[in-house]
């Protein structure tokens, strides 16, 4: 797994963002762990990075999450 795509946000004490899954072409909203990334439960998997980022942005707006810069 790689770094996050697009914008990331601070959720509780974690940084969350869009990343790929082990399945090619499937993306998730997750937070980093020592072994890679862990999907946030309650949020679905997505067929594109753009779709996942849109869902993350909406989630962050609803929860008033601060964006993580740089």
């Amino acid at each position: 797994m790689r770094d996050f795509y697009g914008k990331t946000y601070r959720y509780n004490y974690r940084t969350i963002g869009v990343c790929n899954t082990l399945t090619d072409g499937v993306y998730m909203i997750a937070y980093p762990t020592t072994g890679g990334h862990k999907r946030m439960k309650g949020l679905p998997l997505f067929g594109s990075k753009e779709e996942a980022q849109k869902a993350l942005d909406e989630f962050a707006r609803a929860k008033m999450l601060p964006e993580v810069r740089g």
Side-chain angles (χ1 to χ4, degrees):
M1 294 201 182
R2 298 182 5 175
D3 292 328
F4 294 121
Y5 301 104
K7 293 180 184 177
T8 58
Y9 297 92
R10 182 56 103 194
Y11 183 66
N12 294 330
Y13 58 93
R14 296 181 168 130
T15 298
I16 61 172
V18 174
C19 62
N20 60 319
T21 65
L22 295 176
T23 304
D24 216 19
V26 179
Y27 300 90
M28 64 183 173
I29 297 171
Y31 55 89
T33 65
T34 55
H37 292 93
K38 182 157 177 79
R39 183 172 72 90
M40 290 191 58
K41 294 183 185 209
L43 296 174
L45 296 174
F46 301 91
S48 72
K49 290 180 270 192
E50 296 78 17
E51 183 182 13
Q53 187 65 56
K54 181 180 176 194
L56 175 57
D57 292 340
E58 290 171 1
F59 176 79
R61 194 172 314 116
K63 300 276 189 188
M64 295 190 297
L65 303 179
E67 185 178 345
V68 176
R69 302 278 179 174

